């Protein structure tokens, strides 16, 4: 495949992922607007805490295997080694699903202690109990969609994640709001929509992409190679999650669910800038892994430079608009109560811009198995992030959290 053909493949895949991600972000955005307005900052803050703990549970369940299957399946597929392709996914599936069930039971059993001792709020107990049941479903969805991505079939992820998971969540949430439901009802909707997305994801993978279960050839399990690649990413992922969620955690520890609610409107709004990076890096990763397998390093280098320019040109206008009208954007979308998050929004969107324009550099490091370097980087920035949150949140509240994350 020539460089021109590779770039066309990246552009096509990125276009599909961009459309999918844009639709998904739009659905999630409407969901946040509706739920944040309906619940108010305090209950929306409780829901955000539940989502935070869900993500921690899923991180432990997946242990970096989500990235491992993309890289290894794409690599072995490039070498036409179907036995190792099958073995890679089945090995990852068995490990991650076993862990997810164990973590789910643990969260369910300790939901009261976590809610009371850490966040001093008994209202969180039933919410956390519901979210603990979501952990295996979310893990299954992640494994299925990443395997689909490894085969460069992002269009099927639109069905499972965007329409199956996100759209179901939004539509059912609108029904709950219409009938005057509670934050517990909205948590249950999260569970139902995740089940729909997981079922669709695994079905599309098996019947439309690659018959992992139905195929008759013997799988060659790659436990050692898979874990050697994935486990450093898992530990890196722990520190990434610390960085992503320590602001919410310490706001819950030092402040109240009200501040968490306001902050978790500004943070996802700024993070939505990542749509441009996501669109390119997801399809970029398996293609770069195949180029690496074929030792086409000049082509890999040129493609990376071009993708960086595309990401920069697309993201800059969005950043400028948010920096010029932060209060108006928050007021129109979420209501007057959330204007207090305007300064935090400006800080966060500036930081996310730097993150996005550095491009998919981490994907290149992963392609060349430099996972230990990624781990060291994430350890340093996560420790710094925790220190800054502890230092700044008690005095500066949500703005301190934004500075720490930024």
């Amino acid at each position: 495949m020539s460089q021109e053909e590779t770039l066309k493949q990246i552009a096509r895949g990125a276009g599909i992922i961009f459309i999918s991600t844009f639709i998904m972000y739009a659905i999630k955005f409407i969901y946040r607007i509706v739920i944040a307005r309906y619940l108010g900052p305090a209950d929306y803050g409780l829901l955000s805490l539940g989502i935070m703990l869900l993500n921690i549970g899923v991180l432990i369940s997946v242990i970096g295997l989500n990235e491992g299957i993309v890289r290894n399946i794409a690599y072995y597929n490039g070498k036409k080694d179907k036995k190792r392709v099958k073995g890679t996914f089945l090995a990852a599936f068995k490990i991650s699903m076993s862990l997810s069930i164990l973590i789910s039971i643990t969260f369910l059993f300790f939901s009261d202690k976590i809610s009371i001792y850490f966040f001093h709020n008994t209202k969180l107990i039933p919410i956390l109990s519901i979210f603990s049941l979501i952990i295996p479903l979310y893990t299954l969805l992640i494994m299925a969609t990443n395997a689909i991505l490894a085969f460069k079939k992002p269009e099927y992820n639109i069905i499972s994640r965007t329409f199956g998971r996100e759209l179901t969540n939004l539509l059912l949430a609108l029904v709950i709001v219409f009938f005057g439901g509670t934050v517990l009802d909205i948590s249950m909707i999260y569970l139902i929509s995740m089940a729909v997305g997981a079922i669709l994801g695994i079905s599309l993978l098996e019947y439309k992409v690659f018959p992992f279960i139905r195929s008759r050839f013997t799988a060659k399990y790659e436990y050692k190679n898979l874990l050697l690649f994935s486990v450093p990413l898992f530990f890196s992922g722990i520190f990434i999650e610390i960085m992503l969620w320590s602001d919410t955690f310490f706001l819950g520890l030092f402040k109240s669910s009200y501040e968490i609610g306001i902050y978790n409107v500004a943070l996802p709004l700024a993070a939505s800038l990542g749509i441009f990076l996501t669109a390119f890096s997801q399809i970029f990763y398996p293609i770069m892994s195949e180029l690496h397998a074929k030792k086409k390093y000049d082509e890999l280098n040129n493609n990376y430079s071009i993708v960086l320019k595309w990401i920069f040109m697309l993201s800059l206008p969005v950043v400028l608009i948010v920096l010029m009208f932060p209060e108006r954007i928050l007021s129109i979308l979420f209501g007057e109560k959330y204007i207090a998050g305007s300064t935090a929004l400006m800080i966060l969107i500036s930081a996310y811009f730097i993150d996005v324009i550095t491009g998919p550099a981490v994907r290149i490091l992963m392609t060349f198995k430099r996972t230990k370097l990624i781990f060291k980087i994430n350890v340093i920035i996560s420790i710094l992030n925790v220190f800054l949150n502890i230092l700044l949140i008690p005095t500066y509240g949500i703005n301190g959290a934004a500075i720490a994350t930024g």
Side-chain angles (χ1 to χ4, degrees), residues 83-284:
K83 290 183 178 181
R84 282 189 170 86
V85 168
K86 181 177 180 179
T88 295
F89 177 77
L90 292 181
F93 177 82
K94 290 176 182 179
I95 295 169
S96 61
M97 291 310 298
S98 299
L99 285 173
S100 70
I101 293 169
L102 179 62
I103 298 300
S104 177
I105 294 169
T106 303
F107 270 44
L108 190 61
F109 185 77
F110 290 104
S111 59
D112 55 341
K113 294 178 176 60
I114 294 170
S115 302
I116 294 168
Y117 294 148
F118 286 100
F119 304 108
H120 322 294
N121 198 324
T122 55
K123 291 181 179 180
L124 184 60
I125 298 172
I127 295 172
L128 181 54
S129 298
I130 293 169
F131 274 94
S132 67
L133 301 176
I134 302 174
I135 293 171
L137 296 170
Y138 197 2
T139 301
L140 180 60
L141 178 61
I142 288 172
M143 301 308 288
T145 52
N146 275 272
I148 290 170
L149 190 62
F151 287 97
K152 301 184 290 245
K153 299 286 186 181
E155 57 269 23
Y156 292 121
N157 284 346
I158 299 176
I159 300 172
S160 57
R161 297 200 74 158
T162 306
F163 295 110
R165 154 86 180 97
E166 300 297 344
L167 187 59
T168 301
N169 192 38
L170 173 61
L171 295 176
L172 292 178
L174 289 172
V175 173
I176 293 297
V177 170
F178 180 79
F179 286 103
T182 65
V183 66
L184 286 179
D185 298 319
I186 291 168
S187 300
M188 281 299 301
I189 293 306
Y190 220 90
L191 172 64
I192 295 168
S193 61
M194 196 68 74
V196 173
I199 292 168
L200 278 172
I202 202 69
S203 299
L204 287 167
L205 175 64
E206 179 65 22
Y207 290 97
K208 293 291 185 181
V209 180
F210 190 91
F212 285 101
I213 299 171
R214 294 178 297 117
S215 59
R216 295 183 178 181
F217 53 82
T218 305
K220 246 185 189 178
Y221 288 94
E222 289 290 311
Y223 284 106
K224 184 179 179 181
N225 288 338
L226 185 62
L227 289 172
L228 283 174
F229 179 84
S230 301
V231 170
L233 290 176
F234 162 63
F235 287 109
S236 295
I238 289 177
F239 289 98
I240 290 173
E241 288 297 314
I242 288 172
M243 188 174 67
L244 289 175
W245 292 103
S246 62
D247 42 13
T248 298
F249 177 83
F250 286 110
L251 280 170
L253 200 63
F254 295 129
K255 299 295 180 177
S256 69
S257 61
Y258 186 88
E259 280 88 353
I260 294 173
I262 293 175
Y263 184 76
N264 275 279
V265 158
L267 180 62
L269 188 58
S272 62
L273 188 69
I275 185 174
F276 301 111
L277 179 58
T278 301
F280 286 99
S281 63
Q282 284 190 19
I283 194 65
F284 180 79

Side-chain angles (χ1 to χ4, degrees), residues 2 6 281:
S2 66
T6 303
S281 63

Side-chain angles (χ1 to χ4, degrees), residues 334-383:
F334 299 101
E336 298 291 328
K337 294 179 181 178
Y338 292 93
I339 288 179
S342 59
T343 302
L345 175 61
M346 293 174 69
I347 296 167
L348 289 166
I349 195 72
S350 301
Y352 270 98
F353 180 56
I354 296 171
D355 180 45
V356 167
I357 63 173
T358 54
V362 69
R363 301 290 186 176
I364 294 292
L365 291 173
M366 287 161 60
T367 298
F368 286 89
K369 293 188 176 182
R370 298 300 299 274
T371 53
K372 290 181 181 178
L373 176 59
I374 297 171
F375 170 68
K376 291 175 184 177
I377 293 169
N378 288 335
V379 169
I380 293 169
I381 60 176
S382 299
I383 292 171

